[in-house]
Amino acid sequence: FIDMIEFAFILGNGVTRLEVVPEELLLRGKVYGCNRIYVEFEPTILVSTDRGMAEEIQLSGYSKRRQHYTRKQHVIEHSGARILPQQIHNFSSGPAACGLACLTDAEYIFLIGFDLKGQHNFINNIYAGTKNYKSKDSAPTPWSLWETQISTLLTKFPSKNIVHVNPLHGFTSVSWLKHTNFKTMYLTEFQQVINNL
C-alpha cells in the first residue's frame, strides 16, 4: 500500500535541512528546493520568488536544464523559467514550492528546513552572507507570511497531509496545528518513514 502513496519533499534553507541528505529523498519522491540550493543540489523542481535570486538562476543556464518556477515579472525571455500558477503567484519561495506540490498527486508533503524562528536572534538560513541573501548577523526573517501562506494551503487542500519535519527547538506554528491535515514529525520518525518506502 505504501508504494502507491506519492510523497513530496519541500526543502527550505533553515539549518535543520542540513540533517537530511537531499539526494536520498530523490529516490522516494519529488524534491522541491528553494533559491541557492541549486548550486549544490538539483531538485526535481526549483522555486525562487525574489528578483535577484530568480535572475541569477536564469542567467546561470539552470532554468534551461531543470524545472525552475518564479513570478511572471521575474522571468527572463527564453531563459526556460516557468511562471508560478496564479493561486500561489505571490507566495514566498518555500510556501510556493509547497503549493506546487499541492497541485500534484502527492498525498504527503514534508516541510524540511522550515525553521520559522531564527537562532540566537540572527537570521536562520544556511546561505546567509552569500549573494542575494542578508548577512549572517541580520535579524531573523519575519515568518508570519510563511505561516499565513502554509495555513492557506492547509485550508485549500484538505486532502493533502502536510508534515513539518524536525521543527527547530520543537517550534511550529500554532495556526498550522489547528488543521487536521497537519502534523509534526521529528527526524528519527521521518527517517523511519522514508526508509520503509
Side-chain angles (χ1 to χ4, degrees), residues 2 6-12 16-32 108-114 161-167 183-197:
I2 201 163
E6 291 202 29
F7 295 86
F9 305 97
I10 317 299
L11 302 181
T16 61
R17 198 255 285 165
L18 298 174
E19 297 174 31
V20 173
V21 180
E23 290 80 4
E24 292 179 359
L25 299 177
L26 279 173
L27 304 173
R28 295 165 170 87
K30 289 182 180 175
V31 180
Y32 297 73
Y108 285 85
I109 300 168
F110 297 93
L111 307 179
I112 302 165
F114 279 64
N161 297 286
I162 298 180
V163 182
H164 189 187
V165 176
N166 204 30
K183 70 176 286 190
T184 60
M185 183 180 286
Y186 285 95
L187 199 59
T188 49
E189 186 184 356
F190 172 70
Q191 288 171 335
Q192 286 173 352
V193 169
I194 63 169
N195 287 338
N196 288 327
L197 299 184

Side-chain angles (χ1 to χ4, degrees), residues 10 34 88 91-100 114 145-147 149-150 153:
I10 317 299
C34 302
I88 55 172
F91 278 25
S92 302
S93 296
C98 185
L100 286 172
F114 279 64
L145 194 59
W146 306 333
E147 182 180 38
Q149 291 169 352
I150 296 293
L153 295 174

Side-chain angles (χ1 to χ4, degrees), residues 59-77:
L59 293 172
S60 76
Y62 182 95
S63 311
K64 280 190 165 70
R65 297 195 317 274
R66 306 286 295 183
Q67 287 189 59
H68 169 218
Y69 283 83
T70 188
R71 293 176 179 159
K72 183 177 182 179
Q73 63 267 33
H74 302 335
V75 171
I76 298 171
E77 197 173 5

Side-chain angles (χ1 to χ4, degrees), residues 3 10 20 34 40 44 53 66 70 75 93 96 116 118-119 124 126 131 135 138 143 147 165 171 174 187:
D3 292 337
I10 317 299
V20 173
C34 302
E40 57 182 282
T44 314
M53 200 70 241
R66 306 286 295 183
T70 188
V75 171
S93 296
L116 301 182
Q119 279 193 307
N124 175 4
I126 59 177
K131 185 181 177 186
S135 64
S138 296
W143 48 273
E147 182 180 38
V165 176
F171 179 79
V174 173
L187 199 59

